[in-house]
Amino acid sequence: MLKLIPVIVFTMILSACSNISNLTLYQQLDGQAGLERLVDSFINQIGNDEQVFHYFEHANISHFRAGFLNHLCVLTDGPCKYTRDSMVEIHTGMHITEADFNHVVDLLINAMNEQNIDHTVQNKILARMAPLRSQIIKI
Amino acid sequence: MNKLKLLFVTVITLSVFDSFASQGKLLATPGVSQVEGSGGGGIVPWAQLAGYASEDEFAINGFCSRADVTDYTLDVCGTQINLFNRVELSYAQQNFAVPALDTEIEQAITGVKVRLYGDIVYSDWPQLTLGAQHKSLDDGTVATLVGAKETSGTDIYLAASKLHLGAIAGYNWFWNITTRYSEANQLGLLGYGGANGGEKLLFEGSTAIFLSREIAIGVEYRQKSNNLGLGEQDWHDLFVAWMPNKYVSVTAAYLDLGSIAGAAEQTGWYLSVTGYW
C-alpha cells in the first residue's frame, strides 16, 4: 500500500486547492443577463450545425429560448421556479442518440467558451446537467 | 522492425481518411493508448474503450509509443477497433531493446475488452469493463534463459473508471482502478512464470485532473509480481496528456519502472501519439 502514497497525496493536494465560493453559479454567470448571452450563443451554435439542427427544425425558437433560460436559472440556483414541461415530455419522440447528445454538449461548451465562462464554472454547470441525460436521450 | 514500419504506414494512411472519424464521445473521455495496446493510460488499461465511437458508431485508432529508460528502450505500435462502444479489439507489437547486450525482444499482443456497464461521465456507478490480453514472444530465448516457464500468456483484467465533472475546485477529476490476473514478467517481455511462481492478482490505478478540456495531468501505479526472482518492482508514472481535438492525442510521462532484469533504477521518459478515426 506504500506505493499508493503518491496517488493519495496527489489527490489531497488537489482537494486542498478548493476555494469555496459563496456566490451561486447564477451570480457567477452574471445573472439573467449572462444566461441570456449564453443561451443566445448556444442557439447560434445549433443554428449553424449540420448534425443536430434537424432536431430543432420545427421548434419555436422563442419558446426554446425561454424554456432553456428558465431551466438554466433553476439549475444554477437563480431566483426562478421550474415552470416548463418536464425533460421527458419535451424529448419524447425525438429519439436523440448518445452521439448527438454529446454533440449538443460540445456546442454548449463552444457557447460557454464564446461567452468566456470560466472553465471551472463550465464544469459545475455540466455536472448539474449530466444527470438529466437519461430523461433526454433515446425516448 | 518491419511490422512496426507497416503499422506506422497504416496509421499515416488512415489519417488521410479522417472524414470517417466517429466523434460520439466527449473530448478526451476515451483516454489514450497503453503499452500493451489497450485503451488506457500509459501503463494501465482503463475501463473506457479506445476511440470516440458511441453505441451507434465504430472507431479505428492507431498509436505509437516509446519508453526510454536508463538501460532499455521499448517501442510499441498498435491499433484498436471500437465496435459500438461495447467491444474493443486491439493489436500491438512491442520491440524491447537491450543495447548493452545488442539484443531486441519482440512481442505481439492481441487484446479484447468488453464494456459490462456504464459510462464514465453519465452513469451513477463507474464504467466497468472486462478485458484480456494475449501476449506471445516472437523468440523466447531470453525469457527461457532468465528462467521463465512460458513464452506466451494471457492476462485477464477488470477495470472501473469514472470522470467526476467539476469535482475538485471545479476541475474534472478522473480515476481508474484495474485488477489484473497475470503471470507475465515485465509485461511478458521476460516470459511468463518462473521459479517464484506464476499467476497472481495484481492491482493497478490511475488518477488525473483536467486542467482544461484538452490537458490532463495525472499519476499511475502498476503492481508487478517477481516470478523470476530478479527483483521486479512496481511501476509508477507521472503523465501529461494533450487532446487538442477528436483526431489526435499526445501523452508524455516520467517513468519509474524500478529494477528490470537486475538493472536497478530504470527511470526515464515516455512519449505516445494516438490517431483516431
Side-chain angles (χ1 to χ4, degrees), chain A residues 91-136:
Chain A
H91 298 97
T92 296
M94 291 178 79
H95 308 293
I96 298 170
T97 63
E98 274 187 355
D100 285 345
F101 179 87
N102 279 340
H103 188 68
V104 172
V105 175
D106 286 341
L107 297 180
L108 179 63
I109 290 168
N110 289 350
M112 292 193 288
N113 286 336
E114 213 168 80
Q115 293 303 321
N116 298 312
I117 294 170
D118 186 80
H119 178 70
T120 60
V121 175
Q122 290 189 14
N123 291 338
K124 288 176 191 169
I125 295 170
L126 294 173
R128 290 181 184 199
M129 291 183 144
L132 300 172
R133 188 179 79 140
S134 59
Q135 302 165 36
I136 295 174

Side-chain angles (χ1 to χ4, degrees), chain B residues 210-240:
Chain B
F210 282 85
L211 301 179
S212 68
R213 301 266 162 248
E214 298 88 19
I215 294 177
I217 55 165
V219 291
E220 290 192 292
Y221 164 79
R222 179 165 171 172
Q223 188 183 19
K224 308 294 287 300
S225 48
N226 185 24
N227 299 327
L228 296 173
L230 289 173
E232 181 164 346
Q233 291 175 313
D234 300 346
W235 285 8
H236 304 83
D237 72 54
L238 177 65
F239 70 86
V240 54

Side-chain angles (χ1 to χ4, degrees), chain A residues 3 14 102 106 122-123 138, chain B residues 24 55 122 168 170 213 246:
Chain A
K3 304 290 186 181
L14 294 175
N102 279 340
D106 286 341
Q122 290 189 14
N123 291 338
K138 295 189 274 182
Chain B
E55 63 179 1
Y122 297 110
I168 297 176
R213 301 266 162 248
K246 294 182 185 179

